[in-house]
């Protein structure tokens, strides 16, 4: 990840956003103390140099990760919300073990990158018939990390209930100030300047809002996919979760 990209995203999400919405820049807490800013997005080390650039957008972080995990920065100072390093540590497992959400996320990325030279040897057609979890198990930990560090992940909703645990539920999928929050999201997207955006289980995003995203980044392709943790029968199979929905929305291999 380039230092310039990191600087620009931090300015938008911490400096500008805290001033606009009123959260504390050290603790991330909103004035009522009930929610905190969740922190920086995940940006792979090689995102800036990757073609195509893929940004995957989820609904919300799901838990107060830094506080629950007693996270610290590189100097040993406690973190109340993610910095870039802690978010990468949280998102890339050195043992190559991933729950359904990240397994589906990284398999989505691999499918979109499968024709790129660095990833051709990772994709196998037999993956289509497996769940994303089992398909990802066909890869080594280092291969999965390579996929992760080629993409970026962020969330539409930037706040989380204080000390929230677990990942289920929709309690943080609401707006505190829609106009300010969506405007910051658009500025964040501009910084990433992706070629492809995947809206992961965000059915609430309207066609008008998708058009705003496309206006912000000229030429970007935007697709909607189901959440990788779906409980629909057969819904986690790569063909059903990723390939068929992308094709139905006009995704074509030659775009890569």
């Amino acid at each position: 990840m380039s230092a310039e990209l990191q600087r620009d995203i931090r300015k938008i999400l911490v400096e500008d956003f805290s001033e606009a919405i009123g959260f504390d820049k050290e603790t991330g807490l909103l004035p009522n103390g009930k929610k905190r800013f969740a922190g920086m997005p995940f940006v792979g080390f090689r995102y800036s140099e990757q073609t195509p650039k893929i940004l995957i957008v989820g609904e919300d972080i799901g838990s107060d990760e830094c506080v629950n995990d007693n996270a610290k920065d590189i100097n040993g100072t406690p973190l109340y919300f993610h910095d870039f390093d802690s978010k990468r540590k949280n998102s890339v497992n050195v043992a190559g073990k991933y729950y359904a959400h990240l397994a589906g996320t990284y398999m989505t990325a691999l499918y979109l990158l499968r024709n790129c030279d660095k990833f051709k040897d990772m994709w196998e057609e037999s993956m289509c018939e497996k769940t994303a979890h089992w398909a990802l198990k066909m890869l080594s930990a280092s291969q999965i990390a390579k996929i992760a560090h080629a993409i970026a992940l962020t969330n539409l909703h930037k706040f989380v209930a204080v000390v929230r645990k677990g990942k289920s539920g929709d309690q943080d999928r609401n707006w505190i100030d829609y106009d300010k929050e969506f405007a910051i999201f658009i500025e964040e997207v501009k910084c990433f300047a992706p070629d492809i955006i995947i809206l992961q289980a965000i059915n609430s995003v309207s066609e008008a809002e998708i058009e705003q995203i496309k206006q912000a980044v000229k030429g970007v392709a935007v697709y909607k996919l189901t959440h990788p943790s779906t409980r629909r029968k057969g819904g986690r199979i790569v063909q059903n979760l990723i390939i068929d929905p992308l094709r139905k929305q006009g995704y074509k291999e030659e775009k890569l």
Side-chain angles (χ1 to χ4, degrees), residues 3-250:
E4 182 180 1
L5 178 59
Q6 178 171 315
R7 181 199 66 206
D8 290 347
I9 292 174
R10 181 174 176 79
K11 180 182 183 301
I12 289 168
L13 293 183
V14 178
E15 303 302 326
D16 298 347
F17 196 26
S18 65
E19 183 175 342
I21 210 86
F23 67 82
D24 185 273
K25 287 192 287 187
E26 181 179 342
T27 65
L29 289 173
L30 287 166
N32 64 12
K34 294 181 179 180
K35 288 194 175 188
R36 88 169 79 246
F37 172 60
M40 297 299 100
F42 170 83
V43 189
F45 284 125
R46 289 174 291 281
Y47 173 80
S48 295
E49 64 195 53
Q50 180 62 49
T51 301
K53 289 183 173 62
I54 299 168
L55 174 63
I56 299 181
V57 183
E59 285 251 55
D60 66 297
I61 195 171
S63 67
D64 196 357
E65 291 177 345
C66 282
V67 172
N68 292 340
D69 296 342
N70 296 312
K72 294 179 174 59
D73 67 15
I74 59 174
N75 298 314
T77 304
L79 287 171
Y80 295 97
F81 56 82
H82 279 299
D83 62 15
F84 291 102
D85 290 325
S86 68
K87 188 62 179 177
R88 280 192 289 268
K89 183 178 179 181
N90 179 268
S91 302
V92 182
N93 187 305
V94 293
K97 297 179 180 179
Y98 296 91
Y99 55 89
H101 182 196
L102 278 181
T105 297
Y106 293 149
M107 283 306 302
T108 299
L110 177 58
Y111 178 71
L112 294 170
L113 294 168
R114 70 196 185 286
N115 291 325
C116 301
D117 289 341
K118 295 178 182 178
F119 301 95
K120 282 181 178 178
D121 63 336
M122 296 187 198
W123 177 260
E124 295 185 25
E125 289 302 316
S126 62
M127 289 175 166
C128 300
E129 303 169 356
K130 301 179 184 296
T131 64
H133 174 78
W134 285 105
L136 201 69
K137 280 183 172 290
M138 296 171 66
L139 303 174
S140 67
S142 62
Q143 286 177 313
I144 300 170
K146 189 174 181 179
I147 296 166
H149 283 299
I151 66 172
L153 313 173
T154 192
N155 290 307
L156 182 64
H157 297 289
K158 306 298 188 188
F159 293 95
V160 61
V162 172
V163 301
R164 177 184 171 186
K165 298 181 185 295
K167 295 285 184 180
S168 61
D170 61 0
Q171 66 193 80
D172 292 319
R173 295 171 190 173
N174 48 41
W175 301 103
I176 294 162
D177 187 321
Y178 168 80
D179 289 341
K180 293 177 180 178
E181 291 177 82
F182 196 75
I184 284 291
F185 171 70
I186 290 294
E187 291 304 310
E188 180 188 14
V189 170
K190 286 181 182 178
C191 267
F192 279 117
D195 300 301
I196 297 172
I197 293 177
I198 300 294
L199 299 177
Q200 206 174 58
I202 309 180
N203 294 323
S204 61
V205 177
S206 68
E207 290 303 314
E209 289 166 332
I210 290 176
E211 188 58 34
Q212 285 187 61
I213 294 170
K214 290 180 177 179
Q215 288 295 320
V217 183
K218 300 299 182 184
V220 68
V222 181
Y223 304 101
K224 287 185 175 183
L225 293 183
T226 303
H227 195 285
S229 297
T230 178
R231 297 189 179 185
R232 179 170 55 86
K233 185 176 181 180
R236 298 187 186 188
I237 293 172
V238 170
Q239 187 75 39
N240 301 332
L241 177 69
I242 300 164
I243 301 173
D244 287 347
L246 285 175
R247 288 177 176 171
K248 286 178 181 178
Q249 294 173 72

